Amino acid sequence: MESMPDIRIILVRPQHPGNIGACARAMKNMGLKHLVLVAPQRLPDDEAMARAAGAGDILSAATIVADVGAAVADCVFVAATSARARTIAWPRLDARAAASVACAQARSGPVGILFGAERTGLTNEEVDYAHVLVQIPVDPGFASLNLAAAVQILCYEIRCAVQEPAPGPGPEPEHRPAPQEALNGFLQHLERVITAIGFLNPHHPRKLMRRLTRLFRRARPDDNELQILRGILSAIEHPYPARGGPRPGPDNT
Amino acid sequence: MESMPDIRIILVRPQHPGNIGACARAMKNMGLKHLVLVAPQRLPDDEAMARAAGAGDILSAATIVADVGAAVADCVFVAATSARARTIAWPRLDARAAASVACAQARSGPVGILFGAERTGLTNEEVDYAHVLVQIPVDPGFASLNLAAAVQILCYEIRCAVQEPAPGPGPEPEHRPAPQEALNGFLQHLERVITAIGFLNPHHPRKLMRRLTRLFRRARPDDNELQILRGILSAIEHPYPARGGPRPGPDNT
């Protein structure tokens, strides 16, 4: 894990202390530390601390400034989140691309990401400080993201960008499919047993065994699982009813 | 914009109505509609409605069920979010890969994503219903994500995945996994039969059945394959040796 970049989260005129606390928690979950509050309507308080839930250190260390200019004064790169379409033609990035660019820029110096007030967003003058507008993909029919939710998504994307290249599905840990010959040995055993119990008609075996083969190949059992399956087959061949109670036999059909 | 897939968000024993409301809002922001509450400690109330902030329709339409089994009964694919490391080796995907796979699987039928209770998460028995574990990248030093934040990230990734369909594994052509309840019916039948033949000790059933559950969930049998497997189980219970020649029994061990 690389160390996290110097990207500060800047809340502009936030209204609800609960949201400020939730933003602090979202930041800390993703490994970001530097919170800036621009002219908050109320300072972080008990409600903020409660919603921060363990990220109180981020709240206590938050920088409080009077305007966006002060918040980004030493930043080499500024991005502004924006829900609404703006008439001004500004470079736009989605959250993923913005996180990637922000991480790259943070190698040169501090980077700031601006989040507007809950109801009113950022003014055009505030957006003027930004190099890019960030748009988070949302349903256009219900586009109003909670402030902490927007911060959560950006911080998450920053963490993903730092961890790049993305891990992707990759192999299942600790799952080592058994070699084909072990699987085939099981399938032959299965065929013998289901023939013996009268389920497989040896005169028309093909389609059924092909289906079972396809099913178990898809499952890719490991050695341990094959051992269990073969144990079941052996128990069918040589039932040991002592532990399991009465064994249903041909008589009680 | 494609239409959104049928992916339901399943909150298991959620404790705080505020979180339930915030989850509903997060879903609606990203265009998801179907919320399921498993044994909620409190039903959605005024606090939930307040935090839903316009997503009250999602709350009102939420399905309330008693357990995870009922929540995923008709699902063809289930993912479980998990913060903690689990000893059992389960396939793991990060949030992005999981969203991509979930969207692909949703073409075959309903998909469910499980989120555990705020403090306790999901039990191992609940995770047993899942095909994959989902892990959201977090700072290991402060890994505890708020419930609504976790839902927000998954729903966001689902929206991103819909907008840019990744190549991804995708479902096998013409392979339509059976609903969970059909698979569970088979697993219960299997448990009965291997108990009856003395393979499963009913006093220590758990690990063995969990391994078999994992194996068959991974295989994702379709209806036809389940029919074959249950046919084998019935033949074990009521052997019909006429077609298959001599049946190896307890006598010829």
Side-chain angles (χ1 to χ4, degrees):
Chain A
M1 183 71 204
E2 274 184 58
S3 67
M4 289 299 288
D6 181 5
I7 299 177
R8 64 189 65 164
I9 298 300
I10 305 167
L11 308 184
V12 181
R13 289 170 280 106
Q15 295 166 294
H16 303 297
N19 277 339
I20 299 175
C23 289
R25 180 174 180 182
M27 291 171 61
K28 192 168 177 178
N29 280 143
M30 298 298 157
L32 293 178
K33 310 274 186 226
H34 194 172
L35 175 64
V36 180
L37 305 175
V38 176
Q41 284 204 358
R42 287 161 60 196
L43 292 178
D45 60 8
D46 288 350
E47 192 188 341
M49 278 292 176
R51 291 281 299 280
D57 54 334
I58 305 275
L59 280 186
S60 308
T63 309
I64 297 174
V65 297
D67 56 40
V68 171
V72 301
D74 61 342
C75 287
V76 297
F77 184 79
V78 178
T81 54
S82 178
R84 55 192 163 114
R86 290 174 187 269
T87 48
I88 192 160
W90 219 258
R92 281 158 213 267
L93 295 176
D94 66 20
R96 188 160 303 166
S100 175
V101 170
C103 288
Q105 295 291 342
R107 290 185 207 120
S108 314
V111 166
I113 304 183
L114 301 171
F115 295 82
E118 286 90 338
R119 288 189 189 286
T120 51
L122 298 166
T123 67
N124 284 335
E125 291 69 28
E126 288 162 347
V127 170
D128 281 345
Y129 285 98
H131 299 89
V132 296
L133 282 184
V134 185
Q135 284 180 317
I136 297 173
V138 288
D139 188 322
F142 189 66
S144 159
L145 271 179
N146 169 260
L147 174 58
V151 169
Q152 182 70 70
I153 288 169
L154 261 297
C155 293
Y156 161 74
E157 284 287 9
I158 288 166
R159 187 160 196 90
C160 289
V162 170
Q163 288 182 333
E164 289 278 342
E172 297 171 25
E174 296 169 52
H175 179 65
R176 298 181 171 276
Q180 286 294 308
E181 59 186 349
L183 180 59
N184 291 339
F186 159 72
L187 290 167
Q188 284 157 19
H189 193 175
L190 176 65
E191 185 170 3
R192 281 202 309 278
V193 169
I194 64 176
T195 303
I197 62 175
F199 183 72
L200 178 66
N201 182 339
H203 302 299
H204 302 284
R206 294 211 161 176
K207 205 168 176 189
L208 184 61
M209 276 316 296
R210 179 164 301 148
R211 284 188 164 155
L212 286 166
T213 299
R214 183 176 58 176
L215 169 66
F216 283 102
R217 275 202 209 296
R218 193 187 322 125
R220 304 175 71 220
D222 62 22
D223 286 322
N224 185 273
E225 289 164 343
L226 281 186
Q227 221 167 10
I228 295 173
L229 293 172
R230 295 197 71 151
I232 294 175
L233 293 180
S234 295
I236 296 168
E237 290 175 312
H238 313 298
Y240 177 60
R243 287 185 303 181
R247 179 177 67 86
D251 324 286
N252 64 357
T253 53
Chain B
M1 183 72 203
E2 275 184 57
S3 69
M4 290 298 287
D6 181 4
I7 298 177
R8 63 188 69 163
I9 299 298
I10 304 167
L11 308 183
V12 181
R13 288 170 279 107
Q15 295 166 294
H16 303 299
N19 277 340
I20 300 175
C23 289
R25 181 173 178 182
M27 290 171 60
K28 191 168 177 177
N29 281 143
M30 298 300 156
L32 292 179
K33 310 273 184 231
H34 192 172
L35 174 64
V36 180
L37 306 174
V38 176
Q41 284 205 356
R42 288 163 59 198
L43 292 178
D45 59 7
D46 289 349
E47 193 189 341
M49 278 292 176
R51 291 282 297 283
D57 54 336
I58 306 275
L59 280 186
S60 308
T63 309
I64 297 175
V65 296
D67 55 39
V68 171
V72 301
D74 60 340
C75 287
V76 297
F77 185 78
V78 178
T81 54
S82 178
R84 55 191 162 114
R86 289 173 191 268
T87 48
I88 195 157
W90 217 260
R92 281 157 213 269
L93 295 176
D94 66 18
R96 187 160 303 164
S100 173
V101 171
C103 289
Q105 295 294 343
R107 287 181 213 126
S108 310
V111 166
I113 303 184
L114 300 171
F115 295 82
E118 286 90 339
R119 290 190 187 285
T120 51
L122 297 167
T123 66
N124 284 336
E125 289 69 25
E126 287 162 349
V127 170
D128 280 345
Y129 285 97
H131 298 92
V132 296
L133 282 183
V134 185
Q135 284 179 318
I136 297 174
V138 288
D139 188 324
F142 189 65
S144 158
L145 272 178
N146 169 260
L147 174 60
V151 169
Q152 182 69 70
I153 288 170
L154 260 296
C155 293
Y156 161 75
E157 283 288 8
I158 288 166
R159 188 161 195 89
C160 290
V162 169
Q163 289 183 331
E164 302 174 46
E172 297 172 29
E174 295 171 48
H175 177 66
R176 297 186 170 274
Q180 289 286 310
E181 56 189 348
L183 179 59
N184 292 338
F186 158 71
L187 289 168
Q188 286 158 16
H189 194 177
L190 175 64
E191 184 170 4
R192 283 202 308 278
V193 168
I194 65 176
T195 304
I197 61 174
F199 183 74
L200 177 68
N201 182 339
H203 302 302
H204 302 284
R206 292 213 162 173
K207 207 169 176 191
L208 183 61
M209 275 317 295
R210 180 163 298 147
R211 286 190 161 152
L212 287 166
T213 298
R214 182 176 59 175
L215 169 66
F216 283 102
R217 274 202 210 296
R218 194 186 323 124
R220 309 180 67 227
D222 61 22
D223 286 322
N224 185 272
E225 290 164 341
L226 281 184
Q227 222 168 10
I228 294 172
L229 293 172
R230 296 197 71 152
I232 294 175
L233 293 178
S234 296
I236 296 168
E237 290 174 312
H238 313 297
Y240 177 58
R243 286 187 303 179
R247 179 176 67 85
D251 325 286
N252 64 358
T253 51

Short mmCIF file of all heavy atoms in Angstrom, two decimals, chain B residues 130-174:
data_model
loop_
_atom_site.label_atom_id
_atom_site.label_comp_id
_atom_site.label_asym_id
_atom_site.label_seq_id
_atom_site.Cartn_x
_atom_site.Cartn_y
_atom_site.Cartn_z
N ALA B 130 -24.23 -16.75 0.35
CA ALA B 130 -23.60 -15.90 -0.68
C ALA B 130 -22.69 -16.70 -1.60
O ALA B 130 -22.07 -17.68 -1.19
CB ALA B 130 -22.80 -14.80 -0.01
N HIS B 131 -22.64 -16.26 -2.84
CA HIS B 131 -21.68 -16.83 -3.79
C HIS B 131 -20.32 -16.17 -3.66
O HIS B 131 -19.30 -16.80 -3.91
CB HIS B 131 -22.20 -16.66 -5.22
CG HIS B 131 -23.49 -17.36 -5.47
ND1 HIS B 131 -24.70 -16.76 -5.31
CD2 HIS B 131 -23.75 -18.64 -5.82
CE1 HIS B 131 -25.67 -17.64 -5.58
NE2 HIS B 131 -25.11 -18.78 -5.88
N VAL B 132 -20.30 -14.91 -3.31
CA VAL B 132 -19.01 -14.22 -3.15
C VAL B 132 -19.08 -13.28 -1.95
O VAL B 132 -20.16 -12.83 -1.55
CB VAL B 132 -18.64 -13.36 -4.39
CG1 VAL B 132 -18.44 -14.22 -5.62
CG2 VAL B 132 -19.68 -12.28 -4.65
N LEU B 133 -17.92 -13.03 -1.38
CA LEU B 133 -17.78 -11.98 -0.37
C LEU B 133 -17.31 -10.72 -1.08
O LEU B 133 -16.44 -10.79 -1.96
CB LEU B 133 -16.73 -12.36 0.67
CG LEU B 133 -17.12 -13.35 1.75
CD1 LEU B 133 -15.96 -13.53 2.72
CD2 LEU B 133 -18.34 -12.85 2.51
N VAL B 134 -17.85 -9.58 -0.68
CA VAL B 134 -17.45 -8.31 -1.26
C VAL B 134 -16.64 -7.54 -0.22
O VAL B 134 -17.09 -7.38 0.92
CB VAL B 134 -18.66 -7.45 -1.64
CG1 VAL B 134 -18.21 -6.19 -2.35
CG2 VAL B 134 -19.62 -8.24 -2.48
N GLN B 135 -15.50 -7.08 -0.61
CA GLN B 135 -14.72 -6.25 0.30
C GLN B 135 -14.51 -4.88 -0.29
O GLN B 135 -14.09 -4.73 -1.43
CB GLN B 135 -13.41 -6.96 0.66
CG GLN B 135 -13.72 -8.08 1.67
CD GLN B 135 -12.51 -8.88 2.07
OE1 GLN B 135 -11.69 -9.22 1.24
NE2 GLN B 135 -12.43 -9.20 3.35
N ILE B 136 -14.87 -3.88 0.50
CA ILE B 136 -14.72 -2.50 0.08
C ILE B 136 -13.34 -2.03 0.55
O ILE B 136 -13.01 -2.19 1.72
CB ILE B 136 -15.83 -1.62 0.70
CG1 ILE B 136 -17.20 -2.09 0.19
CG2 ILE B 136 -15.60 -0.14 0.38
CD1 ILE B 136 -18.38 -1.39 0.85
N PRO B 137 -12.53 -1.49 -0.35
CA PRO B 137 -11.21 -1.03 0.08
C PRO B 137 -11.34 0.04 1.16
O PRO B 137 -12.07 1.01 0.98
CB PRO B 137 -10.60 -0.43 -1.20
CG PRO B 137 -11.41 -0.97 -2.33
CD PRO B 137 -12.78 -1.24 -1.78
N VAL B 138 -10.67 -0.16 2.27
CA VAL B 138 -10.69 0.81 3.37
C VAL B 138 -9.31 0.87 3.98
O VAL B 138 -8.47 0.01 3.75
CB VAL B 138 -11.69 0.41 4.48
CG1 VAL B 138 -13.13 0.60 4.04
CG2 VAL B 138 -11.45 -1.01 4.94
N ASP B 139 -9.11 1.89 4.81
CA ASP B 139 -7.89 1.97 5.59
C ASP B 139 -7.94 0.90 6.67
O ASP B 139 -8.86 0.92 7.50
CB ASP B 139 -7.78 3.36 6.22
CG ASP B 139 -6.43 3.56 6.89
OD1 ASP B 139 -5.90 2.60 7.47
OD2 ASP B 139 -5.92 4.68 6.83
N PRO B 140 -6.99 -0.01 6.68
CA PRO B 140 -7.07 -1.08 7.68
C PRO B 140 -7.05 -0.56 9.12
O PRO B 140 -7.55 -1.23 10.03
CB PRO B 140 -5.84 -1.95 7.39
CG PRO B 140 -5.05 -1.27 6.36
CD PRO B 140 -5.86 -0.16 5.76
N GLY B 141 -6.54 0.65 9.32
CA GLY B 141 -6.51 1.21 10.66
C GLY B 141 -7.86 1.76 11.13
O GLY B 141 -8.04 2.04 12.31
N PHE B 142 -8.80 1.91 10.20
CA PHE B 142 -10.12 2.45 10.56
C PHE B 142 -11.12 1.90 9.55
O PHE B 142 -11.63 2.60 8.69
CB PHE B 142 -10.10 3.98 10.53
CG PHE B 142 -11.35 4.62 11.09
CD1 PHE B 142 -11.69 4.49 12.41
CD2 PHE B 142 -12.19 5.36 10.27
CE1 PHE B 142 -12.85 5.06 12.93
CE2 PHE B 142 -13.34 5.96 10.76
CZ PHE B 142 -13.67 5.80 12.10
N ALA B 143 -11.36 0.62 9.68
CA ALA B 143 -12.05 -0.11 8.62
C ALA B 143 -13.56 -0.09 8.75
O ALA B 143 -14.27 -0.50 7.84
CB ALA B 143 -11.55 -1.56 8.60
N SER B 144 -14.08 0.39 9.88
CA SER B 144 -15.51 0.24 10.13
C SER B 144 -16.32 1.29 9.37
O SER B 144 -16.44 2.43 9.77
CB SER B 144 -15.77 0.38 11.64
OG SER B 144 -17.09 0.75 11.86
N LEU B 145 -16.87 0.86 8.24
CA LEU B 145 -17.69 1.75 7.41
C LEU B 145 -19.08 1.87 7.98
O LEU B 145 -19.67 0.87 8.42
CB LEU B 145 -17.83 1.16 6.02
CG LEU B 145 -16.81 1.47 4.95
CD1 LEU B 145 -17.18 0.72 3.68
CD2 LEU B 145 -16.76 2.96 4.66
N ASN B 146 -19.63 3.06 7.96
CA ASN B 146 -21.06 3.23 8.24
C ASN B 146 -21.87 2.40 7.25
O ASN B 146 -21.50 2.24 6.09
CB ASN B 146 -21.40 4.73 8.12
CG ASN B 146 -22.89 4.98 8.13
OD1 ASN B 146 -23.51 5.16 7.10
ND2 ASN B 146 -23.47 4.95 9.31
N LEU B 147 -23.00 1.85 7.74
CA LEU B 147 -23.83 0.98 6.89
C LEU B 147 -24.26 1.69 5.60
O LEU B 147 -24.12 1.16 4.50
CB LEU B 147 -25.06 0.53 7.69
CG LEU B 147 -26.13 -0.26 6.95
CD1 LEU B 147 -25.55 -1.55 6.37
CD2 LEU B 147 -27.29 -0.59 7.88
N ALA B 148 -24.74 2.92 5.74
CA ALA B 148 -25.21 3.64 4.56
C ALA B 148 -24.05 3.97 3.62
O ALA B 148 -24.22 4.04 2.41
CB ALA B 148 -25.94 4.92 4.97
N ALA B 149 -22.86 4.17 4.19
CA ALA B 149 -21.69 4.45 3.35
C ALA B 149 -21.35 3.23 2.51
O ALA B 149 -21.02 3.34 1.32
CB ALA B 149 -20.50 4.85 4.23
N ALA B 150 -21.42 2.05 3.13
CA ALA B 150 -21.14 0.82 2.38
C ALA B 150 -22.17 0.62 1.27
O ALA B 150 -21.82 0.29 0.13
CB ALA B 150 -21.14 -0.38 3.33
N VAL B 151 -23.45 0.86 1.60
CA VAL B 151 -24.50 0.75 0.58
C VAL B 151 -24.26 1.77 -0.53
O VAL B 151 -24.39 1.46 -1.72
CB VAL B 151 -25.89 0.94 1.23
CG1 VAL B 151 -26.97 1.10 0.17
CG2 VAL B 151 -26.20 -0.23 2.15
N GLN B 152 -23.87 2.99 -0.13
CA GLN B 152 -23.61 4.04 -1.13
C GLN B 152 -22.53 3.61 -2.12
O GLN B 152 -22.67 3.78 -3.33
CB GLN B 152 -23.17 5.32 -0.40
CG GLN B 152 -22.94 6.49 -1.34
CD GLN B 152 -24.23 6.99 -1.95
OE1 GLN B 152 -25.05 7.56 -1.26
NE2 GLN B 152 -24.42 6.76 -3.24
N ILE B 153 -21.46 3.05 -1.60
CA ILE B 153 -20.34 2.68 -2.48
C ILE B 153 -20.76 1.55 -3.43
O ILE B 153 -20.49 1.61 -4.63
CB ILE B 153 -19.12 2.28 -1.64
CG1 ILE B 153 -18.52 3.54 -1.00
CG2 ILE B 153 -18.06 1.59 -2.50
CD1 ILE B 153 -17.46 3.27 0.06
N LEU B 154 -21.44 0.55 -2.91
CA LEU B 154 -21.86 -0.54 -3.79
C LEU B 154 -22.84 -0.05 -4.86
O LEU B 154 -22.72 -0.39 -6.03
CB LEU B 154 -22.50 -1.68 -2.98
CG LEU B 154 -21.61 -2.88 -2.67
CD1 LEU B 154 -21.21 -3.62 -3.94
CD2 LEU B 154 -20.38 -2.49 -1.89
N CYS B 155 -23.82 0.79 -4.43
CA CYS B 155 -24.80 1.28 -5.40
C CYS B 155 -24.13 2.17 -6.46
O CYS B 155 -24.48 2.13 -7.64
CB CYS B 155 -25.91 2.05 -4.69
SG CYS B 155 -26.95 1.02 -3.64
N TYR B 156 -23.16 2.96 -6.01
CA TYR B 156 -22.40 3.79 -6.95
C TYR B 156 -21.66 2.91 -7.96
O TYR B 156 -21.69 3.18 -9.18
CB TYR B 156 -21.43 4.66 -6.15
CG TYR B 156 -20.28 5.23 -6.96
CD1 TYR B 156 -20.48 6.29 -7.84
CD2 TYR B 156 -19.00 4.72 -6.84
CE1 TYR B 156 -19.44 6.81 -8.57
CE2 TYR B 156 -17.95 5.24 -7.56
CZ TYR B 156 -18.17 6.28 -8.43
OH TYR B 156 -17.13 6.79 -9.16
N GLU B 157 -21.02 1.86 -7.47
CA GLU B 157 -20.27 0.99 -8.39
C GLU B 157 -21.22 0.27 -9.35
O GLU B 157 -20.86 0.01 -10.49
CB GLU B 157 -19.43 -0.03 -7.60
CG GLU B 157 -18.16 0.57 -6.99
CD GLU B 157 -17.08 0.89 -8.04
OE1 GLU B 157 -17.36 0.81 -9.26
OE2 GLU B 157 -15.96 1.24 -7.62
N ILE B 158 -22.42 -0.06 -8.86
CA ILE B 158 -23.40 -0.69 -9.76
C ILE B 158 -23.78 0.28 -10.87
O ILE B 158 -23.83 -0.06 -12.04
CB ILE B 158 -24.64 -1.16 -8.97
CG1 ILE B 158 -24.26 -2.38 -8.11
CG2 ILE B 158 -25.80 -1.49 -9.90
CD1 ILE B 158 -25.28 -2.73 -7.05
N ARG B 159 -23.99 1.55 -10.49
CA ARG B 159 -24.33 2.52 -11.53
C ARG B 159 -23.19 2.68 -12.53
O ARG B 159 -23.41 2.72 -13.74
CB ARG B 159 -24.68 3.87 -10.90
CG ARG B 159 -25.23 4.81 -11.95
CD ARG B 159 -26.01 5.99 -11.44
NE ARG B 159 -26.74 6.54 -12.56
CZ ARG B 159 -27.94 6.17 -12.92
NH1 ARG B 159 -28.59 5.26 -12.24
NH2 ARG B 159 -28.52 6.70 -13.98
N CYS B 160 -21.97 2.76 -12.02
CA CYS B 160 -20.82 2.87 -12.92
C CYS B 160 -20.75 1.65 -13.83
O CYS B 160 -20.45 1.76 -15.02
CB CYS B 160 -19.53 2.99 -12.12
SG CYS B 160 -19.33 4.56 -11.26
N ALA B 161 -21.01 0.47 -13.27
CA ALA B 161 -20.91 -0.76 -14.06
C ALA B 161 -21.98 -0.78 -15.16
O ALA B 161 -21.73 -1.24 -16.27
CB ALA B 161 -21.06 -1.98 -13.16
N VAL B 162 -23.16 -0.25 -14.84
CA VAL B 162 -24.23 -0.22 -15.84
C VAL B 162 -23.86 0.74 -16.97
O VAL B 162 -24.09 0.48 -18.14
CB VAL B 162 -25.57 0.19 -15.20
CG1 VAL B 162 -26.61 0.48 -16.26
CG2 VAL B 162 -26.04 -0.91 -14.27
N GLN B 163 -23.24 1.84 -16.56
CA GLN B 163 -22.89 2.84 -17.57
C GLN B 163 -21.74 2.39 -18.46
O GLN B 163 -21.63 2.80 -19.60
CB GLN B 163 -22.55 4.18 -16.91
CG GLN B 163 -23.80 4.85 -16.34
CD GLN B 163 -23.53 6.20 -15.74
OE1 GLN B 163 -22.43 6.44 -15.26
NE2 GLN B 163 -24.51 7.08 -15.76
N GLU B 164 -20.83 1.61 -17.90
CA GLU B 164 -19.72 1.10 -18.70
C GLU B 164 -19.64 -0.39 -18.48
O GLU B 164 -18.88 -0.85 -17.66
CB GLU B 164 -18.40 1.73 -18.23
CG GLU B 164 -18.37 3.23 -18.31
CD GLU B 164 -17.08 3.75 -17.70
OE1 GLU B 164 -16.02 3.20 -18.02
OE2 GLU B 164 -17.15 4.68 -16.89
N PRO B 165 -20.44 -1.13 -19.21
CA PRO B 165 -20.44 -2.57 -18.98
C PRO B 165 -19.03 -3.12 -19.19
O PRO B 165 -18.50 -3.06 -20.30
CB PRO B 165 -21.43 -3.12 -20.00
CG PRO B 165 -21.80 -2.00 -20.89
CD PRO B 165 -21.25 -0.73 -20.35
N ALA B 166 -18.42 -3.59 -18.10
CA ALA B 166 -17.08 -4.15 -18.19
C ALA B 166 -17.18 -5.51 -18.88
O ALA B 166 -18.23 -6.12 -18.87
CB ALA B 166 -16.49 -4.30 -16.80
N PRO B 167 -16.07 -5.93 -19.49
CA PRO B 167 -16.10 -7.24 -20.12
C PRO B 167 -16.51 -8.32 -19.12
O PRO B 167 -17.55 -8.94 -19.25
CB PRO B 167 -14.67 -7.45 -20.63
CG PRO B 167 -13.85 -6.42 -19.93
CD PRO B 167 -14.76 -5.31 -19.54
N GLY B 168 -15.72 -8.48 -18.07
CA GLY B 168 -16.08 -9.33 -16.94
C GLY B 168 -16.40 -10.76 -17.31
O GLY B 168 -16.53 -11.10 -18.47
N PRO B 169 -16.52 -11.61 -16.29
CA PRO B 169 -16.82 -13.01 -16.54
C PRO B 169 -18.19 -13.20 -17.19
O PRO B 169 -18.29 -13.79 -18.24
CB PRO B 169 -16.79 -13.65 -15.16
CG PRO B 169 -16.21 -12.63 -14.24
CD PRO B 169 -16.40 -11.32 -14.88
N GLY B 170 -19.23 -12.63 -16.59
CA GLY B 170 -20.56 -12.78 -17.14
C GLY B 170 -21.07 -14.19 -16.98
O GLY B 170 -20.32 -15.09 -16.65
N PRO B 171 -22.37 -14.37 -17.19
CA PRO B 171 -22.93 -15.71 -17.01
C PRO B 171 -22.56 -16.58 -18.20
O PRO B 171 -22.33 -16.08 -19.30
CB PRO B 171 -24.43 -15.44 -16.97
CG PRO B 171 -24.61 -14.18 -17.76
CD PRO B 171 -23.33 -13.39 -17.65
N GLU B 172 -22.52 -17.88 -17.96
CA GLU B 172 -22.31 -18.80 -19.07
C GLU B 172 -23.53 -18.71 -19.98
O GLU B 172 -24.65 -18.56 -19.51
CB GLU B 172 -22.21 -20.23 -18.55
CG GLU B 172 -21.05 -20.46 -17.64
CD GLU B 172 -21.13 -21.85 -17.01
OE1 GLU B 172 -21.70 -22.76 -17.63
OE2 GLU B 172 -20.62 -21.98 -15.90
N PRO B 173 -23.30 -18.79 -21.28
CA PRO B 173 -24.45 -18.72 -22.17
C PRO B 173 -25.41 -19.86 -21.86
O PRO B 173 -24.99 -21.00 -21.65
CB PRO B 173 -23.82 -18.88 -23.56
CG PRO B 173 -22.48 -19.49 -23.33
CD PRO B 173 -22.04 -19.05 -21.97
N GLU B 174 -26.67 -19.54 -21.82
CA GLU B 174 -27.73 -20.53 -21.64
C GLU B 174 -27.64 -21.23 -20.29
O GLU B 174 -28.30 -22.24 -20.08
CB GLU B 174 -27.71 -21.58 -22.74
CG GLU B 174 -28.03 -21.00 -24.12
CD GLU B 174 -27.80 -22.02 -25.22
OE1 GLU B 174 -28.28 -23.15 -25.07
OE2 GLU B 174 -27.14 -21.68 -26.20
#
